[in-house]
Amino acid sequence: MKKGVSFLVAVALMALASSLAAAFDPSPLQDTCVAIPEPENAVFVNGKFCKNPNLTVAEDFFFQGLNIPGNTANRVGSNVTTVNVDAIPGLNTLGISLVRIDYAPYGQNPPHTHPRATEILTVLEGTLLVGFVTSNPQNRLFSKVLNKGDVFVFPIGLIHFQFNIGHTNAVAIAGLNSQNPGVITIADAVFGSNPPINPDFLARAFQLDKKVVEYLQARF
Ligand SMILES: *[C@@H]1O[C@H](CO)[C@@H](O)[C@H](O)[C@H]1NC(C)=O
Ligand SMILES: *[C@@H]1O[C@H](CO)[C@@H](O)[C@H](O)[C@H]1NC(C)=O
């Protein structure tokens, strides 16, 4: 390859890499892009197809019922009500969504990450112990006890959690900078994958007895 050409290729690759590195939800290129279902022929786009703006109505930007608590009678004692693009089609391309989280006394939102969003959370009722852990090799825990009105941020991609340390119900509301932040719950992904990850491999990875791994795989 000639020097000039290889330089241009390198510049093009760098430009591509930097655009991938800045890959949050894309900026909207029109006022509204209300999501409509995928077409029958299984063509997908990054996001959702847009409704004809002439047919767009106020209901496309509306959701009702975030005042209603989620049912926390489950194995972790919490419930997340998600208001993302699937709940409000008008969120398509806007890079934002909302959740309500209910916690039973001593309930928890177990360690998880959002692959596509930073989260900003505020407590409406109760007392939460919250935290996130940074990347290797520091793996620093940033943690705080939050009361009503307190706000905490979980940076994009980092493992974080909330734990209701009060003996009453707790409620939080959080905003996330993606129309579809995604959730990876660590225990479910590692021990509950489908099909399961090889237990010998997990035993060494987590420095556990294989029996413990098989027990965990049965739980998740
Ligand atoms: C929307 O309405 C305008 C005005 O009636 C019309 O000119 C335009 O073609 C319509 N756009 C679409 C995509 O139907
Ligand atoms: C969360 O609450 C809703 C509404 O009560 C319920 O339908 C759903 O099954 C609950 N989810 C979990 C994981 O408990």
Side-chain angles (χ1 to χ4, degrees), residues 69-74 78-81:
N71 182 355
T72 57
N74 53 47
S78 75
N79 192 307
V80 182
T81 307

mmCIF file with all atom_site columns, all heavy atoms in Angstrom, residues 69-74 78-81, ligand 2:
data_model
loop_
_atom_site.group_PDB
_atom_site.id
_atom_site.type_symbol
_atom_site.label_atom_id
_atom_site.label_alt_id
_atom_site.label_comp_id
_atom_site.label_asym_id
_atom_site.label_entity_id
_atom_site.label_seq_id
_atom_site.pdbx_PDB_ins_code
_atom_site.Cartn_x
_atom_site.Cartn_y
_atom_site.Cartn_z
_atom_site.occupancy
_atom_site.B_iso_or_equiv
_atom_site.pdbx_formal_charge
_atom_site.auth_seq_id
_atom_site.auth_comp_id
_atom_site.auth_asym_id
_atom_site.auth_atom_id
_atom_site.pdbx_PDB_model_num
ATOM   1  N N   . PRO A 1 69 ? -47.405 0.861   42.963 1.00 0.00 ? 69 PRO A N   1
ATOM   2  C CA  . PRO A 1 69 ? -46.213 0.095   43.359 1.00 0.00 ? 69 PRO A CA  1
ATOM   3  C C   . PRO A 1 69 ? -46.127 -1.240  42.621 1.00 0.00 ? 69 PRO A C   1
ATOM   4  O O   . PRO A 1 69 ? -47.149 -1.878  42.371 1.00 0.00 ? 69 PRO A O   1
ATOM   5  C CB  . PRO A 1 69 ? -46.415 -0.151  44.865 1.00 0.00 ? 69 PRO A CB  1
ATOM   6  C CG  . PRO A 1 69 ? -47.541 0.711   45.289 1.00 0.00 ? 69 PRO A CG  1
ATOM   7  C CD  . PRO A 1 69 ? -48.362 1.024   44.065 1.00 0.00 ? 69 PRO A CD  1
ATOM   8  N N   . GLY A 1 70 ? -44.926 -1.681  42.263 1.00 0.00 ? 70 GLY A N   1
ATOM   9  C CA  . GLY A 1 70 ? -44.719 -3.023  41.730 1.00 0.00 ? 70 GLY A CA  1
ATOM   10 C C   . GLY A 1 70 ? -44.815 -4.031  42.868 1.00 0.00 ? 70 GLY A C   1
ATOM   11 O O   . GLY A 1 70 ? -44.639 -3.669  44.031 1.00 0.00 ? 70 GLY A O   1
ATOM   12 N N   . ASN A 1 71 ? -45.096 -5.276  42.537 1.00 0.00 ? 71 ASN A N   1
ATOM   13 C CA  . ASN A 1 71 ? -45.228 -6.343  43.540 1.00 0.00 ? 71 ASN A CA  1
ATOM   14 C C   . ASN A 1 71 ? -43.832 -6.860  43.913 1.00 0.00 ? 71 ASN A C   1
ATOM   15 O O   . ASN A 1 71 ? -43.119 -7.399  43.064 1.00 0.00 ? 71 ASN A O   1
ATOM   16 C CB  . ASN A 1 71 ? -46.103 -7.455  42.950 1.00 0.00 ? 71 ASN A CB  1
ATOM   17 C CG  . ASN A 1 71 ? -46.338 -8.584  43.926 1.00 0.00 ? 71 ASN A CG  1
ATOM   18 O OD1 . ASN A 1 71 ? -45.785 -8.607  45.019 1.00 0.00 ? 71 ASN A OD1 1
ATOM   19 N ND2 . ASN A 1 71 ? -47.172 -9.521  43.521 1.00 0.00 ? 71 ASN A ND2 1
ATOM   20 N N   . THR A 1 72 ? -43.458 -6.703  45.182 1.00 0.00 ? 72 THR A N   1
ATOM   21 C CA  . THR A 1 72 ? -42.100 -7.062  45.624 1.00 0.00 ? 72 THR A CA  1
ATOM   22 C C   . THR A 1 72 ? -42.012 -8.458  46.237 1.00 0.00 ? 72 THR A C   1
ATOM   23 O O   . THR A 1 72 ? -40.984 -8.816  46.812 1.00 0.00 ? 72 THR A O   1
ATOM   24 C CB  . THR A 1 72 ? -41.586 -6.036  46.651 1.00 0.00 ? 72 THR A CB  1
ATOM   25 O OG1 . THR A 1 72 ? -42.508 -5.990  47.743 1.00 0.00 ? 72 THR A OG1 1
ATOM   26 C CG2 . THR A 1 72 ? -41.446 -4.654  46.041 1.00 0.00 ? 72 THR A CG2 1
ATOM   27 N N   . ALA A 1 73 ? -43.118 -9.249  46.111 1.00 0.00 ? 73 ALA A N   1
ATOM   28 C CA  . ALA A 1 73 ? -43.101 -10.613 46.689 1.00 0.00 ? 73 ALA A CA  1
ATOM   29 C C   . ALA A 1 73 ? -42.368 -11.563 45.735 1.00 0.00 ? 73 ALA A C   1
ATOM   30 O O   . ALA A 1 73 ? -42.972 -12.393 45.055 1.00 0.00 ? 73 ALA A O   1
ATOM   31 C CB  . ALA A 1 73 ? -44.532 -11.087 46.939 1.00 0.00 ? 73 ALA A CB  1
ATOM   32 N N   . ASN A 1 74 ? -41.044 -11.428 45.655 1.00 0.00 ? 74 ASN A N   1
ATOM   33 C CA  . ASN A 1 74 ? -40.220 -12.296 44.800 1.00 0.00 ? 74 ASN A CA  1
ATOM   34 C C   . ASN A 1 74 ? -38.891 -12.553 45.514 1.00 0.00 ? 74 ASN A C   1
ATOM   35 O O   . ASN A 1 74 ? -38.679 -12.065 46.631 1.00 0.00 ? 74 ASN A O   1
ATOM   36 C CB  . ASN A 1 74 ? -40.029 -11.642 43.422 1.00 0.00 ? 74 ASN A CB  1
ATOM   37 C CG  . ASN A 1 74 ? -39.495 -10.224 43.544 1.00 0.00 ? 74 ASN A CG  1
ATOM   38 O OD1 . ASN A 1 74 ? -38.550 -9.976  44.277 1.00 0.00 ? 74 ASN A OD1 1
ATOM   39 N ND2 . ASN A 1 74 ? -40.119 -9.282  42.842 1.00 0.00 ? 74 ASN A ND2 1
ATOM   40 N N   . SER A 1 78 ? -37.742 -6.824  45.443 1.00 0.00 ? 78 SER A N   1
ATOM   41 C CA  . SER A 1 78 ? -37.851 -5.520  44.773 1.00 0.00 ? 78 SER A CA  1
ATOM   42 C C   . SER A 1 78 ? -38.566 -5.709  43.442 1.00 0.00 ? 78 SER A C   1
ATOM   43 O O   . SER A 1 78 ? -38.753 -6.844  42.980 1.00 0.00 ? 78 SER A O   1
ATOM   44 C CB  . SER A 1 78 ? -36.476 -4.902  44.539 1.00 0.00 ? 78 SER A CB  1
ATOM   45 O OG  . SER A 1 78 ? -35.809 -5.554  43.474 1.00 0.00 ? 78 SER A OG  1
ATOM   46 N N   . ASN A 1 79 ? -38.977 -4.599  42.857 1.00 0.00 ? 79 ASN A N   1
ATOM   47 C CA  . ASN A 1 79 ? -39.674 -4.667  41.570 1.00 0.00 ? 79 ASN A CA  1
ATOM   48 C C   . ASN A 1 79 ? -39.392 -3.386  40.791 1.00 0.00 ? 79 ASN A C   1
ATOM   49 O O   . ASN A 1 79 ? -39.548 -2.284  41.308 1.00 0.00 ? 79 ASN A O   1
ATOM   50 C CB  . ASN A 1 79 ? -41.176 -4.825  41.809 1.00 0.00 ? 79 ASN A CB  1
ATOM   51 C CG  . ASN A 1 79 ? -41.928 -5.186  40.536 1.00 0.00 ? 79 ASN A CG  1
ATOM   52 O OD1 . ASN A 1 79 ? -41.797 -4.506  39.520 1.00 0.00 ? 79 ASN A OD1 1
ATOM   53 N ND2 . ASN A 1 79 ? -42.716 -6.254  40.591 1.00 0.00 ? 79 ASN A ND2 1
ATOM   54 N N   . VAL A 1 80 ? -38.941 -3.539  39.550 1.00 0.00 ? 80 VAL A N   1
ATOM   55 C CA  . VAL A 1 80 ? -38.632 -2.390  38.698 1.00 0.00 ? 80 VAL A CA  1
ATOM   56 C C   . VAL A 1 80 ? -39.735 -2.235  37.659 1.00 0.00 ? 80 VAL A C   1
ATOM   57 O O   . VAL A 1 80 ? -40.006 -3.163  36.892 1.00 0.00 ? 80 VAL A O   1
ATOM   58 C CB  . VAL A 1 80 ? -37.274 -2.582  37.990 1.00 0.00 ? 80 VAL A CB  1
ATOM   59 C CG1 . VAL A 1 80 ? -36.939 -1.362  37.136 1.00 0.00 ? 80 VAL A CG1 1
ATOM   60 C CG2 . VAL A 1 80 ? -36.166 -2.852  39.007 1.00 0.00 ? 80 VAL A CG2 1
ATOM   61 N N   . THR A 1 81 ? -40.378 -1.083  37.657 1.00 0.00 ? 81 THR A N   1
ATOM   62 C CA  . THR A 1 81 ? -41.352 -0.751  36.611 1.00 0.00 ? 81 THR A CA  1
ATOM   63 C C   . THR A 1 81 ? -40.624 0.110   35.586 1.00 0.00 ? 81 THR A C   1
ATOM   64 O O   . THR A 1 81 ? -40.131 1.194   35.908 1.00 0.00 ? 81 THR A O   1
ATOM   65 C CB  . THR A 1 81 ? -42.548 0.018   37.198 1.00 0.00 ? 81 THR A CB  1
ATOM   66 O OG1 . THR A 1 81 ? -43.082 -0.732  38.287 1.00 0.00 ? 81 THR A OG1 1
ATOM   67 C CG2 . THR A 1 81 ? -43.627 0.246   36.142 1.00 0.00 ? 81 THR A CG2 1
HETATM 68 C C1  . LIG B 2 .  ? -43.585 -6.543  39.401 1.00 0.00 ? 2  LIG B C1  1
HETATM 69 O O1  . LIG B 2 .  ? -44.865 -6.050  39.664 1.00 0.00 ? 2  LIG B O1  1
HETATM 70 C C2  . LIG B 2 .  ? -45.784 -6.251  38.595 1.00 0.00 ? 2  LIG B C2  1
HETATM 71 C C3  . LIG B 2 .  ? -47.061 -5.527  38.947 1.00 0.00 ? 2  LIG B C3  1
HETATM 72 O O2  . LIG B 2 .  ? -47.557 -5.936  40.214 1.00 0.00 ? 2  LIG B O2  1
HETATM 73 C C4  . LIG B 2 .  ? -45.976 -7.752  38.392 1.00 0.00 ? 2  LIG B C4  1
HETATM 74 O O3  . LIG B 2 .  ? -46.834 -7.966  37.306 1.00 0.00 ? 2  LIG B O3  1
HETATM 75 C C5  . LIG B 2 .  ? -44.618 -8.379  38.091 1.00 0.00 ? 2  LIG B C5  1
HETATM 76 O O4  . LIG B 2 .  ? -44.749 -9.780  37.989 1.00 0.00 ? 2  LIG B O4  1
HETATM 77 C C6  . LIG B 2 .  ? -43.625 -8.049  39.195 1.00 0.00 ? 2  LIG B C6  1
HETATM 78 N N1  . LIG B 2 .  ? -42.301 -8.536  38.802 1.00 0.00 ? 2  LIG B N1  1
HETATM 79 C C7  . LIG B 2 .  ? -41.552 -9.284  39.606 1.00 0.00 ? 2  LIG B C7  1
HETATM 80 C C8  . LIG B 2 .  ? -40.200 -9.668  39.081 1.00 0.00 ? 2  LIG B C8  1
HETATM 81 O O5  . LIG B 2 .  ? -41.883 -9.630  40.739 1.00 0.00 ? 2  LIG B O5  1
#
